[in-house]
Amino acid sequence: MPTTPATAANNSSTGAAEAIMLELVDENGTTLGTAEKLAAHQAPGQLHRAFSVFLFDEQGRLLLQRRALGKYHSPGVWSNTCCGHPYPGEAPFAAAARRTYEELGLSPSLLAEAGTVRYNHPDPASGLVEQEFNHLFVGMAQDQLRPDPEEVGETAFVTAGELAERHAGSPFSAWFMTVLDAARPAIRELTGPGAGW
């Protein structure tokens, strides 16, 4: 992983795991402070900065990922291409590009901002809460995928119709439809009217 000031502050040179810190924000997305990742997600949840990425192939199909079974939050469920949290002080755009590469071995093409959405989604299975101010990004997936098996269990490119079928029959992350619906205007602009998004 490339080292940046943000990642250097969040990596340990001793091999001991350091706490991952998230950026706490107010309802307008203004930074208020930091909290440890797990603590921020414990009920009732602390509002923090996050991002969601939606990448498409040249046929206008959305790249989904099924989260690895070993993840402590929402394991084994399908979700958007990539989602996560910027390190404190890290720009959401940089975090989105970094994390997409870390999880999928893919550098997005034409990555563009697609607005923000604020939500509060409890996860009944884990008892954790997604209390997030989420920055949305859309772009293209034009390179070969090399998923990290510790992060990603499976990937799939789906049309809008295939997504509807899959969503009806498979478990998805609690936040998936909220972030997808919020990103739809930018998705339509990227994929064109014929893709059906």
Side-chain angles (χ1 to χ4, degrees), residues 28-74:
N28 298 312
T30 303
T31 302
L32 298 175
T34 61
E36 191 276 325
K37 182 178 178 181
L38 183 57
H41 287 90
Q42 290 173 333
Q46 295 174 279
L47 184 59
H48 58 273
R49 196 176 308 283
F51 63 82
S52 290
V53 178
F54 296 86
L55 298 183
F56 295 81
D57 66 9
E58 293 178 357
Q59 290 77 49
R61 298 179 303 168
L62 172 61
L63 174 58
L64 297 176
Q65 71 155 275
R66 187 172 61 81
R67 294 165 61 86
L69 292 173
K71 294 179 82 71
Y72 75 85
H73 190 352
S74 302

Side-chain angles (χ1 to χ4, degrees), residues 137-158:
F137 299 93
V138 301
M140 302 290 291
Q142 296 177 309
D143 295 336
Q144 182 176 349
L145 298 175
R146 295 180 306 280
D148 178 349
E150 292 188 11
E151 298 288 345
V152 179
E154 190 177 347
T155 61
F157 281 96
V158 297

